Amino acid sequence: MSRLEAKKPSLCTGEPLAHEQVRAALSVLKGITASCYGPSGRLKQVHNGHGGYMCTSSQSSALLGHLAVTHPLLKILRTAVQNQAACFGDCGLFTAILSCSLIESDQRLGLTPATVVKVNKCLLSLCTNYLRSEACRCRIPVDFSRSQILLCLVRSVLTSKPACMLTRKEIEHISSVILRAFLLMIPETAEDHLVLGKAIIVPLKGHSVMDSVVLPGILIEMSEVQFRRILPFKKSSLLSSHRIIVIDRLGVTLMEPLRMVTGTQPIGSLGHVSLSSYGSVKNVCPAQFGSKHFLHLIPDEATVCSLLLGNRNDSAWDELKLTCQSALHVLQLTLKEPWVLLGGGCTETHLAAYIRHEVHKEPAGILSDEGGTRTELELVAEAFCRALEALASSLEHDGGGTLTDTRHGHCWSVQADPPSGVGWTELLSRCGCGLLSSQEGLSWAYLGSACPPFAPHACLPPTAPDSASSLTVDCLTAKLGGLQVAVETANLILDLSYVIEDKN
């Protein structure tokens, strides 16, 4: 009993965001995520300082999974972003940057947390309703009978992950491979509801990305000796004569795909095998890729496929694997909700222009039954718009400036220290999403500068989605999910009055 220590009282911290240490930690987290954002985002190395695994990545799922945080507020933010990335497969950095920016912007207003939270909810509803409406000027329908927009979506996911170390030619190749894998997952016939198959990523580490290929069915890696032992046409036996193959120690990862392909069931022993344990395939054949040998199970209906993925080294391959999984995930979301949003920061700046115009035109309709004054709405709405514009500005990592045009509200990037006496038309080429060129009689303003509210015009002619082969686009479902998680997490943190920590 003498060794027992007295129980320590819980540590209570009032108004946690009032503490400089907490604000500094949030600022650091925002800086880390913002510096990773976009195609030219900077990579991060996370390690424990005592050896062991070192992570080199710019993906939120990889970074936040290896980043140790201690303060409860940061844990709330990290968990929210991780859950969002797991649910939607994309927009994790978007969620983290927007949430941190909202917290920073709203803190400077001097309004009560209850007021800020209330208005933020109204603005979130305004954004969500607009992005889902037919009047939205920054979304494009997805036609699954054509591949242009789907390839643009996959390409946008790949280019936003520089740690994959892909060349332009490799991006084009792997984009088409991922899209083919996704199409193989879709069953040819669906009665009541659609059930997608699976894409199994098979490592070809050390091989070129151009060696990557997708095949219908399952590839099971094994040695040449195993081939000669199990293939039925190699020898005659109680099992080979009936064209039965037994595969042992297959691994839990392949169990579910194997059941989907063959209809077989795993068994615990060979003592008693029921008829339901047997399955069938269209064909079985050996396959070789590089120095690896595989048994290729070809199904009757290909809803399961194998994506053989190569890259230069282990670190780049791990990053590419995560990126391929993200791309497949957003393609599945797009199948359920066939729309994409303009990328490259254009949706964010366009949305900010739309919010400012709506607040200026009809403030009472935004607040509806929530109450609040017009002044409060204008202050919180401007902070909300600045947070959206901070996302667009985070795409620039080389000291350049970020502008928006005053007609469509798209995002434009200009080089650092532009030469004097040269007009914007000569300095700017295309907007962030690639849809607009500078030769269209536009005028521009720097983000953050005083600009009268304007209603963003439509810029999507009927032929634009089909003819544009190099658009930067984002998954509508993932972006909406990230927007909702970011605002709700920021509201939760802003509304916290006390943090109680048990130190025992």
Side-chain angles (χ1 to χ4, degrees), residues 315-376:
S315 179
W317 188 89
D318 291 340
E319 186 79 357
L320 183 57
K321 177 187 177 183
L322 287 175
T323 305
C324 290
Q325 290 172 337
S326 297
L328 289 169
H329 198 150
V330 298
L331 285 171
Q332 293 177 39
L333 294 175
T334 306
L335 187 62
K336 298 178 181 178
E337 197 168 12
W339 296 89
V340 293
L341 293 175
L342 299 177
C346 289
T347 289
E348 288 79 6
T349 53
H350 177 94
L351 199 54
Y354 172 78
I355 292 172
R356 288 190 176 103
H357 177 261
E358 291 297 308
V359 168
H360 177 75
K361 181 184 71 171
E362 195 177 358
I366 297 175
L367 291 174
S368 61
D369 299 329
E370 295 292 333
T373 66
R374 177 166 184 164
T375 301
E376 292 171 345

Side-chain angles (χ1 to χ4, degrees), residues 23-219:
R23 295 199 300 268
L26 280 170
S27 179
V28 169
L29 182 60
K30 178 190 173 184
I32 291 174
T33 52
S35 64
C36 295
Y37 196 46
S40 59
R42 305 312 193 226
L43 305 183
K44 300 293 179 290
Q45 283 190 341
V46 185
H47 58 92
N48 61 14
H50 299 285
Y53 181 77
M54 180 173 65
C55 171
T56 303
S57 178
S58 64
Q59 296 199 49
S60 62
S61 57
L63 291 176
L64 296 180
H66 293 88
L67 194 64
V69 295
T70 56
H71 197 278
L73 293 191
L74 293 179
K75 289 182 178 180
I76 291 173
L77 184 57
R78 182 182 68 173
T79 302
V81 174
Q82 286 179 312
N83 290 339
Q84 191 278 337
C87 289
F88 299 100
D90 197 21
C91 295
L93 292 176
F94 168 91
T95 306
I97 299 167
L98 180 57
S99 189
C100 290
S101 298
L102 277 173
I103 295 170
E104 286 186 354
S105 299
D106 290 337
Q107 268 193 295
R108 304 189 187 105
L109 298 179
L111 301 176
T112 63
T115 300
V116 173
V117 168
K118 175 178 61 181
V119 179
N120 274 343
K121 288 180 179 178
C122 296
L123 295 173
L124 174 61
S125 179
L126 176 69
C127 294
T128 302
N129 292 338
Y130 175 67
L131 292 175
R132 290 192 183 278
S133 71
E134 294 295 330
C136 181
R137 305 289 199 267
C138 56
R139 71 174 192 167
I140 300 175
V142 176
D143 183 0
F144 282 89
S145 65
R146 302 186 178 185
S147 62
Q148 287 94 333
I149 296 300
L150 292 173
L151 280 173
C152 288
L153 179 59
V154 177
R155 191 185 303 117
S156 299
V157 174
L158 289 170
T159 54
S160 67
K161 306 296 185 293
C164 295
M165 300 192 304
L166 301 178
T167 64
R168 185 177 297 275
K169 184 178 179 181
E170 290 170 339
I171 288 175
E172 294 300 323
H173 174 72
I174 203 68
S175 295
S176 62
V177 169
I178 291 172
L179 183 55
R180 284 198 296 269
F182 168 68
L183 294 176
L184 284 173
M185 294 164 57
I186 303 176
E188 296 180 3
T189 57
E191 297 179 356
D192 297 332
H193 61 280
L194 184 67
V195 178
L196 293 178
K198 291 182 179 293
I200 305 167
I201 297 180
V202 181
L204 283 179
K205 297 181 181 180
H207 290 263
S208 169
V209 177
M210 302 301 293
D211 294 332
S212 300
V213 67
V214 62
L215 298 174
I218 295 179
L219 287 173

Side-chain angles (χ1 to χ4, degrees), residues 222-236 240 286 293 295:
M222 54 183 58
S223 66
E224 289 183 278
V225 175
Q226 289 174 304
F227 277 134
R228 290 193 290 269
R229 179 172 60 84
I230 68 173
L231 284 182
F233 50 79
K234 292 293 183 181
K235 61 181 181 179
S236 91
S240 297
H293 299 271
L295 182 68

Side-chain angles (χ1 to χ4, degrees), residues 348-467:
E348 288 79 6
T349 53
H350 177 94
L351 199 54
Y354 172 78
I355 292 172
R356 288 190 176 103
H357 177 261
E358 291 297 308
V359 168
H360 177 75
K361 181 184 71 171
E362 195 177 358
I366 297 175
L367 291 174
S368 61
D369 299 329
E370 295 292 333
T373 66
R374 177 166 184 164
T375 301
E376 292 171 345
L377 173 62
E378 290 175 346
L379 287 173
V380 179
E382 184 58 29
F384 197 100
C385 293
R386 294 293 176 93
L388 286 171
E389 291 173 340
L391 282 159
S393 300
S394 297
L395 292 168
E396 175 57 54
H397 300 281
D398 299 312
T402 307
L403 299 86
T404 182
D405 68 87
T406 55
R407 179 176 176 81
H408 306 293
H410 279 223
C411 178
W412 303 74
S413 181
V414 65
Q415 66 187 47
D417 301 321
S420 58
V422 181
W424 290 126
T425 305
E426 289 76 24
L427 290 173
L428 304 174
S429 55
R430 302 199 72 85
C431 67
C433 70
L435 189 61
L436 300 177
S437 70
S438 61
Q439 310 296 325
E440 299 182 6
L442 302 176
S443 58
W444 293 269
Y446 276 103
L447 287 184
S449 62
C451 179
F454 65 94
H457 287 68
C459 55
L460 299 175
T463 57
D466 297 329
S467 60

